[in-house]
């Protein structure tokens, strides 16, 4: 049963230059800034939050994980809704929700309340992010301008990802940690104004009216949440029976999702799209980069402060090289992609991210120079992956499925982010005795922490390397694939 083709989207009034769309790009960049800044700015504050709210090791990881779980679990649903009712409309509602939930942080008094707020912020992110990439891709009609536009937008996001720990550390020196989350409200306001003023409402021809696959959405969300929660239950739950039940329920939900999407007349996600070479390779690279970046940021923040005793401000300075690399390499992305091509740029940059994680996992305990090397490699790789992976996926999808395609890209990234945080937190909780937020550590606890960091880092490195290998193999299939997707034969 064939599916739709990649049609090069023709934009009737495409701006001839990036500067002609600066209002729209500003709004879209603010969305990506929030998405990437959110968890990174919180990483450096985790020890402070843990002590302030008396959080256990297991609950502390969900201060970050709740956002990623909600974001990743609901993104496909909101991507599908956006393709039906309008990407701009859904984004504006999501930005309003983001501003409101960010302000709720000021009344949080327990870690459980904070986890709920973080989950609501993840819902808002799931509503805004898929449409932003789709609109950026379709704003311009030529591949060169699309790459440059996505470079501008991803720059805001990646700089936010890198500058988050630095900003967070300095803010914590003069203000309570709640300020870090309340700051999302003005970012959401900027994005709202830029998108409302700079982007027109979706044309009916760019949308489709297939009914939303509610059953598929529920099964998909259950699968994502189960896959992330079940492993942690083996450590934090007092009953192994609960953990095994959660694992079994996840398998059942995943099986049901696959069956539903293969048999539904209007599936939430046409699984055949995921198997297209361009789509599969881009998603694999994006997932590898997200896994490595999330795991490294989480582990570096904890190691610098807890194991080495650095203050939040000094830890912020320690992560500053990421910002320098991301800012300095911005103008090099376009020429690099044009010189080597999207495929080679994708796998080499993803490999650099994995190499950086491996360096930290194996050598980071021996001193800051090794931590610095890992940070620089990951930042350089992420700078390119952030652009080429999304472009690759959207090139492989139909014009009226761009929001779902963008949702796939960010779902891959957010799931990988959540997996990286959940896996690291679970390994630390399993291998480190006592609470990692304790003010003083015994020598035995310090040794077990460093050993756990190495185990977690090497585990994530192996998974990320496997994803890069999968992406490379999928990319090579592009030149041999003889079954293009045709737009006329899309009805399912």
């Amino acid at each position: 049963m064939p599916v739709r083709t990649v049609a090069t989207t023709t934009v009737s009034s495409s701006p001839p230059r990036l500067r002609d769309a600066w209002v729209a790009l500003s709004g879209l960049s603010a969305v990506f800034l929030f998405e990437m800044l959110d968890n990174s700015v919180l990483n450096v504050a985790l020890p402070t939050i843990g002590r302030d709210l008396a959080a256990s090791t297991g609950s502390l990881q969900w201060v970050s994980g709740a956002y990623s779980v909600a974001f990743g679990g609901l993104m496909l649903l909101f991507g599908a809704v956006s393709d039906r009712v309008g990407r701009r409309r859904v984004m504006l509602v999501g930005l309003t929700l983001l501003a409101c939930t960010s302000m709720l942080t000021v009344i949080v008094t327990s870690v459980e309340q904070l986890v709920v707020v973080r989950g609501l912020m993840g819902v808002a992110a799931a509503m805004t992010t898929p449409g932003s990439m789709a609109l950026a891709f379709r704003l311009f009609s030529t591949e060169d301008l699309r790459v440059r536009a996505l470079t501008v937008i991803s720059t805001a996001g990646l700089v936010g990802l890198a500058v988050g720990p630095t900003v967070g550390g300095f803010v914590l020196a003069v203000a309570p940690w709640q300020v870090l989350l309340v700051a999302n409200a003005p970012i959401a306001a900027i994005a709202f104004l830029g998108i409302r003023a700079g982007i027109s409402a979706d044309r009916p021809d760019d949308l489709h009216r297939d009914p939303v696959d509610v059953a598929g959405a529920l099964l998909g969300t259950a699968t994502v949440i189960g896959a992330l929660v079940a492993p942690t239950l083996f450590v934090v739950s007092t009953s192994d029976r609960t953990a095994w039940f959660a694992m079994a329920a996840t398998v059942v939900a995943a099986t049901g999702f696959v069956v539903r999407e293969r048999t539904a007349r209007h599936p939430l996600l046409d699984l055949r799209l995921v198997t297209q070479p361009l789509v599969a390779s881009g998603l694999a690279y994006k997932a590898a980069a997200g896994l490595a970046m999330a795991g490294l940021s989480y582990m570096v923040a904890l190691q610098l402060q807890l194991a080495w005793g650095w203050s939040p401000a000094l830890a912020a300075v320690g992560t500053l090289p990421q910002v320098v690399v991301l800012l300095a390499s911005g103008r090099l992305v376009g020429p690099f992609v044009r010189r080597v091509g999207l495929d080679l740029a994708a796998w080499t940059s993803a490999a650099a991210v994995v190499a950086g994680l491996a360096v930290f996992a194996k050598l980071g305990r021996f001193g800051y120079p090794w931590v610095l090397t890992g940070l620089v490699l990951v930042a350089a790789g992420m700078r390119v992956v952030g652009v080429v992976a999304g472009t690759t996926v959207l090139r492989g999808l139909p014009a009226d499925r761009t929001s779902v395609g963008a949702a796939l890209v960010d779902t891959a990234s957010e799931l990988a982010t959540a997996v990286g945080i959940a896996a690291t937190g679970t390994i630390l909780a399993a291998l480190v005795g006592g609470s990692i937020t304790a003010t003083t550590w015994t020598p035995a606890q310090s040794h077990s922490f460093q050993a756990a960091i190495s185990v977690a880092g090497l585990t994530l490195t192996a998974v990320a390397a496997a994803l890069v290998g999968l992406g490379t193999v999928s990319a090579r299939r592009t030149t041999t694939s003889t079954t293009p997707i045709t737009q006329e034969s899309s009805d399912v």
Side-chain angles (χ1 to χ4, degrees), residues 54-408:
S56 67
T57 301
S59 61
L60 188 62
Q61 77 184 59
W62 284 106
V63 173
S64 294
Y67 168 84
S68 296
V69 169
F71 191 2
L74 295 173
M75 208 174 326
L76 282 176
L77 171 60
F78 285 118
V81 171
S82 297
D83 280 335
R84 289 161 172 80
V85 304
R87 301 163 187 91
R88 179 176 176 270
R89 180 180 302 171
V90 173
M91 288 178 66
L92 294 178
V93 173
L95 289 169
T96 303
L97 176 62
L98 171 61
C100 294
T101 53
S102 297
M103 297 301 296
L104 290 177
T105 308
V106 299
I107 62 173
V108 164
T109 59
S110 70
V111 68
E112 291 79 14
Q113 293 174 357
L114 181 58
V115 169
V116 172
V117 170
R118 298 287 295 149
L120 290 174
M121 293 172 69
V123 174
M127 298 178 71
T128 58
T129 303
S132 62
M133 182 178 289
L135 289 174
F137 185 80
R138 300 180 64 186
L139 192 60
F140 300 97
S141 59
T142 65
E143 184 171 295
D144 180 61
L145 283 176
R146 287 171 174 170
V147 169
R148 290 171 60 192
L150 289 177
T151 299
V152 170
I153 294 171
S154 66
T155 296
L158 291 176
V159 170
L161 183 66
V163 79
T166 304
V167 171
F170 287 123
V171 168
L172 289 175
V174 297
W177 59 265
Q178 288 89 341
V179 173
L180 299 177
L181 296 182
V182 173
N184 285 324
I187 295 176
I190 293 171
F192 186 98
L193 294 174
I195 291 169
R196 183 174 178 83
I199 299 177
S200 59
D202 291 83
R203 298 176 304 172
D205 292 345
D206 292 333
L207 305 174
H208 64 85
R209 301 301 177 188
D210 296 343
V212 176
D213 180 17
V214 177
L218 293 175
L219 289 169
T221 301
T223 300
V224 171
I225 294 175
L228 296 171
V229 173
T232 67
L233 294 179
F234 285 101
V235 175
V236 301
S237 176
T238 57
S239 172
D240 285 345
R241 181 178 299 179
T242 301
W244 283 112
F245 176 80
M247 188 67 73
T250 302
V251 173
V252 170
T255 303
F257 177 74
V258 172
V259 172
R260 171 67 184 179
E261 300 312 286
R262 290 177 64 90
T263 58
R265 183 174 182 181
H266 301 291
L268 178 74
L269 173 63
D270 191 334
L271 297 178
R272 293 161 299 170
L273 293 177
V274 181
T275 63
Q276 295 299 310
L278 285 174
V279 178
S281 62
L283 293 178
Y285 293 140
K286 189 71 172 179
L291 182 75
M293 191 69 176
L296 181 66
S297 298
Y298 188 78
M299 290 185 289
V300 167
L302 295 182
Q303 177 167 300
L304 294 182
Q305 295 182 73
L306 300 181
W308 294 359
W310 292 20
S311 67
L314 185 58
V317 174
T319 59
L320 192 59
Q322 281 188 315
V323 182
V324 175
V325 171
L326 289 173
L327 290 176
S329 61
R331 290 186 174 274
L332 302 178
V333 176
F336 175 66
V337 172
R338 286 193 295 271
R339 182 178 180 84
V340 305
L342 279 172
D343 293 338
L344 183 57
W347 82 260
T348 54
S349 57
V353 172
V354 176
L357 178 61
V359 168
F360 172 80
K362 195 67 177 176
L363 303 171
R365 67 168 67 187
F366 297 117
Y368 179 73
W370 295 111
V371 176
L372 172 64
T373 302
L375 291 172
V376 168
L377 283 172
V378 170
M382 280 292 295
R383 191 65 183 83
V384 182
V385 172
V387 176
V388 297
T391 303
T392 298
V393 170
L394 293 180
R395 284 171 56 216
L397 289 172
D400 64 350
R401 295 295 190 274
T402 51
S403 289
V404 168
L408 277 173

